[in-house]
Amino acid sequence: MKKVLILGGTGDAVKLADQLVNIPEIEVISSLAGRTKKPSALVGQFRIGGFGGIEGLAKYLQENAIDFLIDATHPCAGQITINGAIASQIAQIPHLMLVRPQWEKLSGDNWIEVETVEASAQAIPDVIKRIFITSGRQQLEPFLQRSQTYPDTWYLMRSIDPPDIELPNSQVLLDRGPFSLEQERELLREFQIEAIVSKNSGGAATYAKVAAARELGIPIVMVQRPAMPEGDKVTSIEEAIAWLNSR
Ligand code: NAP
């Protein structure tokens, strides 16, 4: 029996766990940070909460005799990915990063590419008055600051759980993807959105807003992914399973 720890928090992590539990020689444990109140249903064992940095994760790997670490966290979750890479070296176990390909700009896309969510709030052109924030409920501070400079801007904020910060002049939509192109087109029209803030998450579940923005000529302030550590990487669940099988 081999033990696999999946660092999760994404739909890909759920799908990977779903497939691994069917392999008799594998015991799978999924780990969540605990940010979402009602996470997607996970099969197999799971644990919730931070490990306590690199040392805490390395200790967890050693104490629980984990044989393989698979990082299937969101591509913008930079800290846990660095922690996973270093902790697996300390624990001397094989480590894989499952990273969905990022979205590439197509003809007709109007992207303003920035490094951070902080930069995204500053990069929104002054003339834009109706902004759709999809970059996460936990990084709203930069928009709060922006709203002080531009009090006449209105924000639509979409997240799975309610945000801790309430933006003045805003509306919150609680929803979880996947979203269809029809839904996104309708939403952009209904709320007369003039710009979108998004992370370059990649994957199909939240791509429809990018396609709808292209159709409607709406700019996207696109937050780039953080740099990833060196190490084994795959882009699909099938490849992740093949990586495990090869070991
Ligand atoms: P982060 O900045 O990379 O991580 C911050 C801390 O959260 C880590 O140091 C770790 O705490 C804990 N943590 C993160 N992922 C964990 C996991 N799977 N299991 C246990 N502890 C975890 O991450 P983040 O951007 O805050 O994202 C938190 C979680 O939400 C991630 O699991 C990610 O997959 C998911 N998520 C993130 C985004 C995003 O845009 N960032 C979007 C969708 C989903 P300790 O140091 O104490 O171990």
Side-chain angles (χ1 to χ4, degrees), residues 50-163:
F51 295 95
I54 293 167
E55 281 179 18
L57 178 52
K59 193 165 166 236
Y60 180 94
L61 296 174
Q62 287 163 333
E63 286 182 352
N64 291 278
I66 302 295
D67 296 293
F68 299 97
L69 177 64
I70 302 186
D71 177 354
T73 57
H74 190 277
C76 294
Q79 188 59 55
I80 188 67
T81 293
I82 290 170
N83 293 3
I86 301 175
S88 57
Q89 278 176 11
I90 296 171
Q92 298 186 327
I93 60 164
H95 165 246
L96 178 72
M97 289 166 272
L98 169 57
V99 198
R100 47 187 132 132
Q102 63 179 12
W103 298 320
E104 298 299 337
K105 201 153 76 165
L106 301 182
S107 165
D109 279 328
N110 177 6
W111 291 4
I112 302 165
E113 290 173 90
V114 295
E115 297 295 319
T116 61
V117 175
E118 288 73 19
S120 75
Q122 290 164 12
I124 301 165
D126 308 356
V127 290
I128 301 281
K129 299 296 174 209
R130 297 181 71 82
I131 301 170
F132 181 28
I133 302 175
T134 65
S135 48
R137 69 183 168 90
Q138 296 188 38
Q139 288 172 293
L140 288 179
E141 191 69 41
F143 301 100
L144 190 60
Q145 285 175 20
R146 188 184 186 281
S147 70
Q148 284 158 10
T149 315
Y150 303 105
D152 57 342
T153 304
W154 181 83
Y155 297 90
L156 179 66
M157 156 72 207
R158 182 168 68 193
S159 57
I160 297 173
D161 289 318

